Amino acid sequence: MEYKCILIVIVYLSVLITDSPSVLDFRRNNIVVCSMINCESSSDNRYKCGCINNNNKQLYLNISNINKQDDTTWSCRGNSGRQGSINVSVYYGPENIRFNPTSDNIDVIEGKSQSVNCLADCKPDCNIIWSKDGSTTILNNTLSLSTRDQTGSYNCTVKHTVLNKQLTKQLNVQINYGPDRLTFSPDVTSINIIEDGRDELAFSPDVTSINIIEDGPDELAFSADVTSINIIEDGPDELSFSPDVTSINIIEGRDQTITCLTDCYQCNYKWTGPVSSPTKDLVLTQIKRNQEGNYRCEATNIKNIIPKTRSKSLQVNVHYPPDITSITSDAVNNTADEGSDVIFNCNVDSKPVSTVTWSFSTSTDTNTGQQWTLTQAKCQDTGIYTCTANNGIGQSTTKSLPLNIRCPPILKEELKKEIRRQIGEMVLLEINIEAYPEPNFIWKQLISDIEYPFAKTERVSENNFISTLELILDQSSFGYYIITVQNIINGETKAKTWGIKIIELDPGTISYKQSGYQEVLSTGIGIGIGIGISLVCVFLVLLTIFIYRKYHPANKKLPEES
């Protein structure tokens, strides 16, 4: 029988054995890190082993969070004595960049050579590049210092070519030199000085010229007794900031750089606060509100025998737009009784403080303040209440809250109390009610006490309802109709009743206004009939006269009338 051990994450380790082991362990440098008995394993958090698909002939080791100590020899061994091994390579670095044999600062006497190596922890080995004052590149890793022109700042850059990571560390070099050859100003070894007086001059010895041969120079000495001396400025002087403020407001998400300034030959700078920095520049990138606070800049003269430090503080305030964290009222389940006071609260997180405005869904009135009280609530105050917060940064923000006012039924619109119609016409009875909770509508004819269950109710809003009853009129339809509207408030039934009267219109009497078209049509018909009758009457009169004169004896002509 065969089984296979597999090391997961970086490499695969396999061992073939003719039998199935009951006990097997995985080892690092021959030290057991994970053991198995019949596919049951015991392991720590980083090393886990087991069977692949519950097959005890194929086993694996899973290494999580791999680190440098895993760069070694690994093996698996069964109770049969068979084992296999493999070497695992772990790439890491660059880490722990350092200089040898010096610290971050070095003083060298001119003419005495000093070598400096740049070291870092890498696998495989990293590329190392030196550069001076940010420009000149020195190809060799070992930095050799001996001449005064090598004074300056050097950067050692260590780059991992596989992981594409790099680190840089700065070395400050001071080459001490001198004194060089001495000269005088003016450049002479002897000088004649003529006295400006008028007295006769005489010399001792009494000569007019003398040659003095200098025997020196004697041995030179300095006070203090040194061959080189470094003169260090006494800085740092008073600190200042750029921009020149002691408190600054920054909008959240924006970038800001604050520079610490002082007059100092060689100073180390350090910023402390919610964000720290080892340089004179405090760089705040996409600043967050939790980075608000007091920041302190410290400048230390590193060349003084006793380091001298100055410090100065800066307050950074982070401004951000409003966020409504909650909107509440003291109404239980957003419902209150008519006549009660309702207190609204709108909690806003912002900097600077926001202006809070309250508005109502059915009104143009507004109120201001984080807390606002609706006094003596009425049924008409049912609706949506909105809190708006604005502090001038970004867009204003809003949140809304519903409010229902418990109230008995009341008329929202005036009820038409009388309707005049004829038999056969359709009539629509309607009532518009405000109430909360939702009311029940009962339509009845008073004289017959007949209830009309087919009346329709429409919900217009949370507390507004319209109920309608449609009738085709017959002789029994006329008379009073009563509408009873009721709801239950706090366990008590609230009911109100209204009435509408339908009056029969006499078919022979027009006692209500017709349309303009009907009036004109009726008038035209009346005029036409009148004219027709008049013409007939005139025609009959003329015909009668004609017949009468033709056939009546008196109408016969007399001789003298001819």
Side-chain angles (χ1 to χ4, degrees), residues 20 82 134 202 278 282 387:
S20 298
R82 292 293 188 92
L282 175 63
C387 164

Side-chain angles (χ1 to χ4, degrees), residues 323-335:
D323 175 31
I324 299 178
T325 58
S326 67
I327 176 173
T328 60
S329 74
D330 62 351
V332 178
N333 295 326
N334 298 322
T335 303

Side-chain angles (χ1 to χ4, degrees), residues 89-250:
S89 294
V90 178
Y91 289 174
Y92 58 87
E95 301 173 357
N96 190 26
I97 186 170
R98 59 199 180 276
F99 301 122
N100 183 33
T102 183
S103 62
D104 298 352
N105 302 282
I106 184 172
D107 290 339
V108 179
I109 298 175
E110 188 176 37
K112 293 185 178 181
S113 179
Q114 175 68 59
S115 296
V116 180
N117 288 316
C118 183
L119 306 175
D121 296 338
C122 289
K123 184 172 182 179
D125 292 339
C126 291
N127 289 341
I128 296 177
I129 298 176
W130 283 95
S131 61
K132 179 177 182 293
D133 297 328
S135 59
T136 304
T137 299
I138 301 171
L139 298 178
N140 56 311
N141 179 19
T142 302
L143 183 65
S144 181
L145 306 169
S146 62
T147 60
R148 68 185 69 180
D149 60 352
Q150 292 177 306
T151 295
S153 296
Y154 292 78
N155 284 331
C156 171
T157 301
V158 182
K159 184 172 183 180
H160 199 296
T161 58
V162 178
L163 301 180
N164 196 25
K165 293 171 58 178
Q166 70 178 36
L167 284 179
T168 299
K169 188 176 181 68
Q170 181 174 296
L171 174 68
N172 298 311
V173 175
Q174 177 66 52
I175 307 295
N176 299 321
Y177 57 88
D180 293 339
R181 183 174 60 89
L182 297 180
T183 60
F184 297 109
S185 179
D187 189 12
V188 295
T189 57
S190 65
I191 187 169
N192 295 326
I193 302 174
I194 300 174
E195 190 176 0
D196 192 30
R198 299 180 180 179
D199 296 337
E200 183 178 355
L201 298 178
F203 298 102
S204 178
D206 188 11
V207 294
T208 58
S209 67
I210 187 170
N211 294 325
I212 302 173
I213 300 173
E214 190 175 5
D215 189 32
D218 294 335
E219 184 178 356
L220 298 177
F222 299 102
S223 179
D225 189 10
V226 293
T227 57
S228 66
I229 186 169
N230 294 325
I231 301 175
I232 307 300
E233 265 193 279
D234 191 35
D237 293 341
E238 184 178 358
L239 299 182
S240 62
F241 298 121
S242 176
D244 188 13
V245 293
T246 56
S247 177
I248 187 170
N249 299 328
I250 308 171

